[in-house]
């Protein structure tokens, strides 16, 4: 067997211990004599897993009991439409900060349901983004029902290093690519959501945490599977939930807690990004970071080499060295290393060594 160092942007690396436990429990989960995929979602074994996972999520986030944890399907992309469906409608408005490709995706859907304004739009020519706006650059619409932003821009390698002050409006955040990567005051948000396949486990489940006060304001007359109120009332079991994805999510959350929770994760991720950006900045211009230094993401490290040919050779040689999925996204080019929680400090140290060796062997 050969395990690689996996910098995939999503679906992404999952902790080895989690995969091993899932393997060990595959044929006989929890004494049921079958896998977790084969038991009734109405049975007591699955129910304990399901409810326990919601509690564990709340515990790790430090959220009080007036936050509901929901498990939805259709990815974060479905939250792009479910959110405005639940809060907008004729004559309603919302604020969306645009900091990257995924913020634009959220706006595209929200526009179907209301008038959308932008406290800031950081797009540059050629669909590029390199910076996060400062608080003073944000201009809010007083008529907005809520303010939405993307905490980490997965494609562009930028990340908010502060929680915006939105003057008392409900704050909603797409945290798909940096959730649980470091401590954060989650109580500042009325709602957060994240597709699980970056920092929380496999695709198939999206975690939503919503404050009761905000939930109460949601539209009630909606198609059943689009209603936050239904998800809350039915504990995300109106229909069959993605049981296996929730099971892996549970194992990842237990792994996270066992390894020191968000404080420990934050320390490791801080060291990882520091090593990688130091390798970029200390290369004498051979590696060039794509994002503005103060907006750099701890999760997605974007940089380029002196030529597109060297970018391509980097990807190929890295793969041969057991370091995979390093190619940047189309709009940004270059290299993207997605160093989510399951990528270890040791993996990053190995990568930094590879970067130094590559530079020595392939002069500009
Ligand atoms: C990956 C990603 C999405 C899309 O997630 P899906 O679960 O594939 O719909 C949305 N927002 C951000 C920030 C992402 O990184």
């Amino acid at each position: 067997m050969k395990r690689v160092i996996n910098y995939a942007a999503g679906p992404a690396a999952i902790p080895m211990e989690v995969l091993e436990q899932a393997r060990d429990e595959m044929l006989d989960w929890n004494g049921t004599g079958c896998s977790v995929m084969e038991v009734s979602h109405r049975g007591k074994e699955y129910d304990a897993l399901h409810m326990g996972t919601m509690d564990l999520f709340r515990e790790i986030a430090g959220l009080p009991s007036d936050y509901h944890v929901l498990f939805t399907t259709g990815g974060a992309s479905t939250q792009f439409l479910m959110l405005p469906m639940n809060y907008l409608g004729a004559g309603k408005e919302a604020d969306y900060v645009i900091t990257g490709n995924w913020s634009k995706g959220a706006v595209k859907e929200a526009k179907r349901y209301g008038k959308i304004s932008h406290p800031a739009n950081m797009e540059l020519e050629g669909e590029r983004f390199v910076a996060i706006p400062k608080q003073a650059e944000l201009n809010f619409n007083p008529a907005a029902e809520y303010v939405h932003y993307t905490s980490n821009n997965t494609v562009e390698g930028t990340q908010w290093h502060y929680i915006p002050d939105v003057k008392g409006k409900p704050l909603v955040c797409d945290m798909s690519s940096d959730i649980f990567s470091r401590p954060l005051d989650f109580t500042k948000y009325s709602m957060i959501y994240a597709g699980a396949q970056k920092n929380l486990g496999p695709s198939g489940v999206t975690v939503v945490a919503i404050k009761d006060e905000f939930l109460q304001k949601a539209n009630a007359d909606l198609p059943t599977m689009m209603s936050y109120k239904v998800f809350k009332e039915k504990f995300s079991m109106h229909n069959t939930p993605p049981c296996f994805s929730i099971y892996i999510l549970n194992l990842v959350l237990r792994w996270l807690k066992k390894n020191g929770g968000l404080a420990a994760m934050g320390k490791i991720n801080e060291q990882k990004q520091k090593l990688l950006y130091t390798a970029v900045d200390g290369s004498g211009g051979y590696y060039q970071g794509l994002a503005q230094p103060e907006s750099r993401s701890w999760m997605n490290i974007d940089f380029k080499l002196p030529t597109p040919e060297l970018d391509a050779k980097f990807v190929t040689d890295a793969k041969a060295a057991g370091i995979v999925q390093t190619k940047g996204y189309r709009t940004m080019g270059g290299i993207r290393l997605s160093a989510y929680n399951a990528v270890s400090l040791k993996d990053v140290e190995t990568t930094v060594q590879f970067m130094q060796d590559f530079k020595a062997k392939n002069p500009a």
Side-chain angles (χ1 to χ4, degrees):
M1 188 194 68
K2 137 177 167 283
R3 291 282 295 170
V4 293
I5 296 176
N6 182 4
Y7 285 108
I14 289 180
M16 177 90 148
E17 284 168 56
V18 166
L19 297 173
E20 284 169 341
Q21 186 174 346
R23 175 199 62 199
D24 293 346
E25 296 179 341
M26 184 61 82
L27 302 185
D28 181 3
W29 174 65
N30 216 2
T32 56
C34 44
S35 76
V36 69
M37 286 176 278
E38 301 166 288
V39 298
S40 168
H41 64 291
R42 307 283 177 206
K44 71 172 180 351
E45 289 88 4
Y46 180 76
D47 193 68
L49 171 77
H50 189 90
M51 302 306 289
T53 309
M54 289 177 173
D55 289 342
L56 189 52
F57 184 91
R58 224 186 335 256
E59 180 190 331
I60 292 171
L63 285 171
S65 58
D66 66 327
Y67 279 82
H68 309 290
V69 176
L70 317 177
F71 296 143
T72 64
T73 55
S77 299
T78 297
Q79 293 313 303
F80 292 172
L81 66 103
M82 213 167 147
L83 171 69
M85 232 188 183
N86 275 264
Y87 292 97
L88 302 182
K92 298 253 177 97
E93 306 182 20
D95 258 344
Y96 278 70
V97 186
I98 304 185
T99 53
N101 172 72
W102 289 117
S103 321
K104 279 168 69 181
V107 168
K108 185 172 171 224
E109 301 302 324
K111 278 187 168 158
R112 302 175 196 276
Y113 300 96
K115 191 172 160 225
I116 305 304
S117 40
H118 306 302
N121 181 351
M122 305 304 284
E123 185 160 8
L124 304 175
E125 207 183 312
E127 297 176 69
R128 288 182 323 113
F129 293 83
V130 297
I132 298 296
K134 295 191 177 63
Q135 176 73 44
E137 295 173 298
L138 299 171
N139 296 304
F140 298 107
N141 169 9
E145 298 292 323
Y146 59 84
V147 180
H148 178 281
Y149 79 110
T150 316
S151 53
N152 183 75
N153 299 285
T154 324
V155 167
E156 295 82 5
T158 62
Q159 184 177 21
W160 292 69
H161 295 294
Y162 70 100
I163 300 177
D165 176 357
V166 293
K167 321 288 175 201
K169 292 275 180 203
L171 181 58
V172 178
C173 188
D174 174 2
M175 295 192 180
S176 293
S177 56
D178 68 349
I179 189 156
F180 286 0
S181 62
R182 58 187 180 184
L184 191 70
D185 185 356
F186 289 94
T187 65
K188 291 265 195 291
Y189 298 89
S190 289
M191 183 181 128
I192 61 163
Y193 63 92
Q197 69 274 18
K198 279 127 192 182
N199 256 331
L200 298 177
S203 61
V205 63
T206 301
V207 183
V208 177
I210 186 165
K211 196 175 176 156
D212 192 65
E213 188 188 10
F214 190 55
L215 179 94
Q216 296 308 330
K217 290 191 274 184
N219 295 334
D221 186 20
L222 290 176
T224 311
M225 289 303 292
M226 287 291 114
S227 165
Y228 288 135
K229 285 185 167 158
V230 170
F231 271 85
K232 182 248 158 181
E233 275 150 30
K234 299 287 170 91
F235 298 99
S236 305
M237 278 208 262
H238 170 76
N239 77 327
T240 317
C243 303
F244 189 76
S245 296
I246 291 168
Y247 159 73
I248 301 286
L249 166 66
N250 179 275
L251 297 184
V252 171
L253 294 179
R254 280 156 63 178
W255 171 84
L256 220 154
K257 187 177 165 185
K258 193 178 110 193
N259 286 287
L262 302 190
M265 218 38 76
K267 284 208 183 85
I268 297 168
N269 285 328
E270 181 169 20
Q271 289 177 52
K272 281 156 55 186
Q273 60 87 25
K274 201 166 173 191
L275 283 174
L276 290 168
Y277 287 121
T278 303
V280 168
D281 294 338
S283 69
Y286 186 80
Y287 297 113
Q288 286 171 45
L290 300 186
Q292 281 184 6
E294 66 279 8
S295 298
R296 283 173 168 176
S297 167
W298 288 17
M299 295 282 100
N300 310 96
I301 289 84
D302 285 17
F303 58 89
K304 64 177 185 181
L305 283 80
T307 63
E309 291 70 33
L310 282 170
D311 287 338
K313 187 163 195 301
F314 183 97
V315 173
T316 312
D317 288 12
K319 189 170 180 199
I323 303 170
V324 308
Q325 307 261 11
T326 60
K327 192 175 187 297
Y329 187 80
R330 170 184 56 85
T331 50
M332 297 299 285
I335 304 298
R336 169 174 58 175
L337 304 179
S338 299
Y340 301 125
N341 289 351
V343 174
S344 70
L345 185 59
K346 189 164 159 285
D347 292 342
V348 166
E349 286 164 355
T350 305
T351 306
V352 166
Q353 188 60 54
F354 170 81
M355 287 170 71
Q356 285 161 358
D357 295 347
F358 185 89
K359 182 191 163 207
K361 281 188 217 146
N362 299 278

